[in-house]
Amino acid sequence: MREVLAESAFALFLERGFERTTVDDIVARAGVGRRSFFRYFPSKEDAVFPDHDRCLADMTAFLEAAGAAEPVGAVCDAAHLVMRMYAAKPEFSVQRYRLTREVPGLRTYELSVVRRYERTLAAYLRTRWEGAADGALRAEVVAAAVVAAHNNALRTWLRRGGEGDADAAVEHALATVRQVWAGGREPVGEAVREPEGDEVIVMVARKGAPLWRVVQQVEAALTEE
Amino acid sequence: MREVLAESAFALFLERGFERTTVDDIVARAGVGRRSFFRYFPSKEDAVFPDHDRCLADMTAFLEAAGAAEPVGAVCDAAHLVMRMYAAKPEFSVQRYRLTREVPGLRTYELSVVRRYERTLAAYLRTRWEGAADGALRAEVVAAAVVAAHNNALRTWLRRGGEGDADAAVEHALATVRQVWAGGREPVGEAVREPEGDEVIVMVARKGAPLWRVVQQVEAALTEE
């Protein structure tokens, strides 16, 4: 029922435009009563984005299961869930992207959805960094960076008509965040590993080198086996 | 006139609530005609945030004047303009913050304002990093991180009733972004300085150390005189 309503709504939005389609039009097409629509969707806007609630729930569950995983890695992994939701229905996602560009109300709705993902990631990081210096601040900065990187990859993929490897594109974008923010490398579910005192990195950089480039080198050195 | 309207509107929003105040109520209190209101404000929401348009224009002008300044530093400096706008009217800012928490429509409006600042910063960074690898991606990630850091400081200041040094709080928050992202150190308005080939940094870090801590050390070493 929910899916039938969402499909009827979306078909009408494409045919007649979002503003000119009423809830009555949608329920007539779906062959159900008006109250059925509002049982599933609080508003017309919600019918355009029927999968975000589930994806947010999946993200929360994923982060709860992440346990002692390195926190920045965990939120980057969680961000992939959103791209996978879009990539599961490429044609629908691309059509919706075009529709959203044209309807200010949908863009506003989208901003509030993006903010909900950001808050979900930040809440997890805040818990993980509780008591750490500037933990809450870092949680919000990293969550915002992860969302921005993800959305850059998502928008690029949508503008290209949903072609190409969506997951790889997100991973490439998230690498900019992992590089500068990811911390200790404790594997998921295990205790923090004892530091091995003898293992050191020596690195040489030119003064005045862009910090992000130095960080790339440090990251490469730290993860080398 | 614009200021009188904004003040009348805000006084009524506090007295009667945002939803229950009409544009007719506002113009009656300000002693002007209904069309005057819409000459200055497209909507009731805009009257709650009368200074953002000017602040966005100031930010754009500031970034245009930044010339060859180090780009991450420039956007961090630009973010201070927003906090200064709030700090110029602490009592109004705190009352508005409380009002915004209670009215979903104002929260949505605020999200779109935040997004406009983020886009302004990202557009500047994109220009500065044109042609660089992942320039557009980095521009969006850094802009989002700057906005998140700024807003963390702003919200903390607002929750404390607008007390304390707002500018110092923003600077502290932005340090987390400057540390990991700020690049070359060309001074404003001068050509990029020639790298001095002999100047090197040698740094030693333990494998498995959190990257952000290593970055702090690198940053400290790179900026040391």
Side-chain angles (χ1 to χ4, degrees):
Chain A
M1 171 65 78
R2 194 174 186 280
E3 202 152 321
V4 172
L5 278 165
E7 279 169 13
S8 302
F10 198 73
L12 285 165
F13 297 154
L14 291 184
E15 281 169 36
R16 302 185 192 178
F18 179 78
E19 303 294 358
R20 285 163 61 195
T21 301
T22 65
V23 170
D24 287 328
D25 297 335
I26 298 166
V27 295
R29 182 158 185 147
V32 300
R34 191 177 160 83
R35 285 176 57 194
S36 299
F37 182 86
F38 290 107
R39 195 172 302 135
Y40 294 104
F41 302 109
S43 70
K44 232 168 55 171
E45 282 80 2
D46 289 279
V48 179
F49 302 94
D51 301 324
H52 282 301
D53 280 337
R54 190 181 43 73
C55 189
L56 273 154
D58 288 351
M59 182 181 273
T60 303
F62 177 88
L63 291 171
E64 274 167 10
E70 188 284 307
V72 175
V75 293
C76 287
D77 292 345
H80 276 276
L81 297 173
V82 183
M83 181 55 121
R84 271 170 218 148
M85 175 190 68
Y86 281 82
K89 300 176 184 172
E91 196 188 333
F92 169 63
S93 296
V94 170
Q95 285 178 325
R96 178 172 62 186
Y97 175 70
R98 289 175 189 153
L99 181 69
T100 304
R101 295 306 90 189
E102 289 162 14
V103 183
L106 292 180
R107 281 210 302 280
T108 308
Y109 185 94
E110 204 178 40
L111 274 185
S112 67
V113 169
V114 168
R115 182 72 187 139
R116 286 172 71 196
Y117 285 112
E118 193 177 318
R119 290 168 77 105
T120 302
L121 300 179
Y124 165 78
L125 291 173
R126 222 165 20 241
T127 309
R128 293 299 311 277
W129 290 334
E130 207 171 355
D134 289 323
L137 167 65
R138 273 199 296 138
E140 288 181 16
V141 169
V142 172
V146 167
V147 166
H150 171 276
N151 286 352
N152 177 279
L154 172 58
R155 272 195 305 272
T156 306
W157 180 80
L158 289 167
R159 282 196 203 113
R160 283 181 191 150
E163 306 210 340
D165 186 338
D167 222 46
V170 169
E171 193 42 47
H172 173 80
L174 288 171
T176 58
V177 179
R178 293 190 199 261
Q179 267 163 19
V180 294
W181 284 108
R185 321 214 118 51
E186 352 30 320
V188 181
E190 283 188 32
V192 177
R193 100 182 169 196
E194 281 296 296
E196 294 161 57
D198 297 307
E199 253 189 314
V200 295
I201 306 288
V202 175
M203 79 147 266
V204 178
R206 209 184 59 235
K207 271 208 182 195
L211 185 60
W212 63 270
R213 213 182 270 289
V214 177
V215 169
Q216 277 187 335
Q217 291 168 6
V218 176
E219 169 74 358
L222 283 169
T223 52
E224 222 163 55
E225 288 315 318
Chain B
M1 171 64 80
R2 195 173 185 280
E3 202 153 319
V4 172
L5 279 165
E7 280 169 14
S8 302
F10 197 72
L12 284 165
F13 296 155
L14 291 185
E15 280 169 36
R16 303 185 190 176
F18 179 78
E19 303 294 357
R20 285 163 62 195
T21 301
T22 66
V23 170
D24 287 328
D25 297 335
I26 298 166
V27 295
R29 182 159 184 145
V32 299
R34 191 176 160 83
R35 285 176 57 194
S36 298
F37 182 86
F38 291 107
R39 197 173 301 136
Y40 293 104
F41 302 109
S43 70
K44 232 168 54 170
E45 282 80 2
D46 290 279
V48 179
F49 302 94
D51 301 323
H52 282 302
D53 279 338
R54 191 182 41 77
C55 190
L56 274 155
D58 288 350
M59 183 181 272
T60 304
F62 177 89
L63 291 171
E64 274 167 11
E70 187 283 306
V72 175
V75 294
C76 287
D77 293 345
H80 276 276
L81 298 173
V82 183
M83 181 54 121
R84 270 170 218 149
M85 176 191 65
Y86 281 82
K89 300 177 184 170
E91 196 188 330
F92 169 64
S93 296
V94 170
Q95 286 178 325
R96 178 172 63 187
Y97 175 69
R98 290 175 189 153
L99 181 69
T100 305
R101 294 308 90 189
E102 290 162 13
V103 183
L106 293 180
R107 282 211 301 280
T108 308
Y109 185 95
E110 203 178 38
L111 274 185
S112 69
V113 168
V114 168
R115 181 73 185 138
R116 286 172 71 198
Y117 285 112
E118 192 177 319
R119 290 168 77 105
T120 302
L121 299 180
Y124 165 78
L125 291 173
R126 220 164 23 240
T127 309
R128 293 299 310 278
W129 289 333
E130 208 173 353
D134 289 323
L137 167 65
R138 274 198 297 138
E140 289 181 16
V141 170
V142 173
V146 167
V147 166
H150 171 276
N151 287 352
N152 177 279
L154 173 59
R155 272 194 305 272
T156 305
W157 180 80
L158 289 167
R159 282 195 204 114
R160 285 182 189 150
E163 306 211 338
D165 186 337
D167 222 47
V170 169
E171 192 42 46
H172 173 80
L174 289 171
T176 57
V177 178
R178 293 190 199 261
Q179 266 164 19
V180 295
W181 284 107
R185 317 214 122 51
E186 343 47 307
V188 181
E190 284 187 32
V192 179
R193 103 182 166 194
E194 279 297 296
E196 293 162 56
D198 297 306
E199 253 189 314
V200 295
I201 307 288
V202 175
M203 78 147 267
V204 177
R206 208 182 61 233
K207 271 207 184 197
L211 185 59
W212 64 270
R213 214 182 269 289
V214 178
V215 169
Q216 278 187 334
Q217 291 166 8
V218 176
E219 168 75 358
L222 283 169
T223 53
E224 224 163 55
E225 287 314 319

